[in-house]
């Protein structure tokens, strides 16, 4: 995406890296398709903000600068005020624009007087247009915004359909494991990065170093494998005869797939679980039925998801730029087992939990919808692991909620080698 701000090497700057001194670079640009200036934050400007942001999201993205004159491009700082501009503008868009457009806001303080500064709004090209502001589909027309024509509306709907197909295809990506291995998968598709060119080898190596350090911080070995369009980071090798462990696939746009093998019970541990289920609810397990350890599998899942949280923090990439989905692969019919007393009581009334479908992929959640401001991969993976195994989240049933709490607590007592 275009940026009016450049570093000393002439490379585009991200919004987080823009300084007050960088605002002088705006003198080289006129208002246009991807750039709009407002001298002051007035009531009139406030009312226009949702329309401007929606028009950028419906077009190719753009920058709204409040505190820069549109005639001579001079910096005219606006008061900081009592409220956070990002919250003010975010609330404006939540009230007036649907769906939620992808944008970020920074108040860049004047170093000579931090009570004033410039508001910079960076709007990404939206993945799921049209974005409707107060009932009108606005698009960029030169240096202004205006209602979309019929032909443009068709293009916008077509763009949304194509993006939905890309999301669906990404959530079918499969990391190689020996055949039939049961896996819990998380898909994190980076949104709004399609227009970026090829990344450099140095940047690839930098990202690989960061992710490798995250494996080390979690106490896990790291084997890096080059694929045709990604890097795969494995906590164990992927050959028959090796103990299977987790893997993370990292793509050029920093989309991520996480795969975690389930820990299945065998031998005496499986026999004990089978006997306990029979005592609790009269169920006799088939000899070929897979029984998954809740605490050991959950420990694996949350440990690797914590690694992703660490990576995203290190890269200073907000989770809100991602769409997420989960999948149970080769786990259809697998029975969940826990020796927690709450689970024993639950089985007496409900029977054991198990993955009840053969197509075990969740719906996609878009983290930029304004409802995921505190998203953490570890929390998401932990709670939705049990949802995928048949336990409804947010159920009105008190016993369901007690069981979720109990199972999440048992993860802390799982074996440390997982």
């Amino acid at each position: 995406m275009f940026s009016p701000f450049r570093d000393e090497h002439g490379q585009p700057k991200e919004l987080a890296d823009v300084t007050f001194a960088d605002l002088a670079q705006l003198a080289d640009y006129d208002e246009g398709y991807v750039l709009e200036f407002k001298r002051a934050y007035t009531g009139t400007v406030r009312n226009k903000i949702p329309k401007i942001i929606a028009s950028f999201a419906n077009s190719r993205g753009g920058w709204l600068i409040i505190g820069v004159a549109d005639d001579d491009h001079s910096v005219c700082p606006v008061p900081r005020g009592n409220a956070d501009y990002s919250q003010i503008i975010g609330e404006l868009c939540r009230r007036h624009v649907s769906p939620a457009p992808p944008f970020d806001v920074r108040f860049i303080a004047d170093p000579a007087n931090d009570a004033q500064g410039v508001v910079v709004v960076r709007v990404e090209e939206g993945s799921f247009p049209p974005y409707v502001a107060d009932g009108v589909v606005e698009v960029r027309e030169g240096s202004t915004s205006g209602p979309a024509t019929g032909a443009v509306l068709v293009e916008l709907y077509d763009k949304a359909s194509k993006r939905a197909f890309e999301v669906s295809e990404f959530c079918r990506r499969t990391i190689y494991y020996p055949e039939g291995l049961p896996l819990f998968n998380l898909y994190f598709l980076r949104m709004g990065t399609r227009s970026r060119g090829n990344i450099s080898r140095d940047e690839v190596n930098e990202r690989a170093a960061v992710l490798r350090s995250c494996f080390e911080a979690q106490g896990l070995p790291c084997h890096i494998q080059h694929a045709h369009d990604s890097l795969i980071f494995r906590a164990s090798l992927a050959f028959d005869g090796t103990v299977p462990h987790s893997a993370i696939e990292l793509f050029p746009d920093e989309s991520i797939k996480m795969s975690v093998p389930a820990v299945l019970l065998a031998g005496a541990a499986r026999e004990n679980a089978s006997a306990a289920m029979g005592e609790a609810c009269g169920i006799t397990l088939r000899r070929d039925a897979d029984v998954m350890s809740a605490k050991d599998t959950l420990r694996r899942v949350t440990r690797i998801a914590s690694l992703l949280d660490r990576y995203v923090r290190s890269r200073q990439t907000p989770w809100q730029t991602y769409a997420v989905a989960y999948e149970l692969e080769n786990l259809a019919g697998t029975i969940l087992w826990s020796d927690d007393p709450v689970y024993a009581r639950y089985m007496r009334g409900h029977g054991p939990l198990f993955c009840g479908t053969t197509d075990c992929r969740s719906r996609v959640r878009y983290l930029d919808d304004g409802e995921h401001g505190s998203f953490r991969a570890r929390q998401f993976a932990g709670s939705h692991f049990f949802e995928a195994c048949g336990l409804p989240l947010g159920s009105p049933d008190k016993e369901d909620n007690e069981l979720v709490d109990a199972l999440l607590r048992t993860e802390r007592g799982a074996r440390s080698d997982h």
Side-chain angles (χ1 to χ4, degrees), residues 169-170 172-176 198-199 201 204 224-234 249-253 257:
E169 286 300 295
F170 178 75
R172 291 183 171 86
R173 182 80 180 197
T174 299
I175 298 175
Y176 169 75
N198 294 329
I199 64 172
R201 175 58 61 183
V204 171
I224 301 179
Q225 177 183 359
H226 289 258
H228 66 284
D229 62 348
S230 66
L231 293 176
I232 301 173
F233 299 76
R234 297 182 182 271
E249 187 171 15
L250 183 64
F251 295 86
D253 64 354
K257 179 181 179 182

Side-chain angles (χ1 to χ4, degrees), residues 342 345-346 349-350 391 396-404:
V342 176
R345 293 198 300 270
Y346 187 89
H350 302 271
L391 188 60
D397 189 327
K398 181 181 178 181
E399 291 183 349
D400 285 344
N401 293 315
E402 287 178 346
L403 182 58
V404 169

Side-chain angles (χ1 to χ4, degrees), residues 129-183:
Y131 296 88
V132 184
D134 292 325
V136 179
V137 178
E138 300 279 350
V139 294
R140 298 298 290 178
E141 296 178 345
S143 60
T144 61
S145 305
T149 64
V152 173
L153 284 172
V154 171
E155 292 177 3
L156 290 173
Y157 281 110
D158 185 56
K159 182 195 297 184
S161 298
K162 289 179 179 178
R163 189 55 165 162
F165 177 77
E166 291 174 7
V167 173
S168 177
E169 286 300 295
F170 178 75
C171 291
R172 291 183 171 86
R173 182 80 180 197
T174 299
I175 298 175
Y176 169 75
Y177 277 95
E179 184 175 357
L181 190 67
L183 302 169

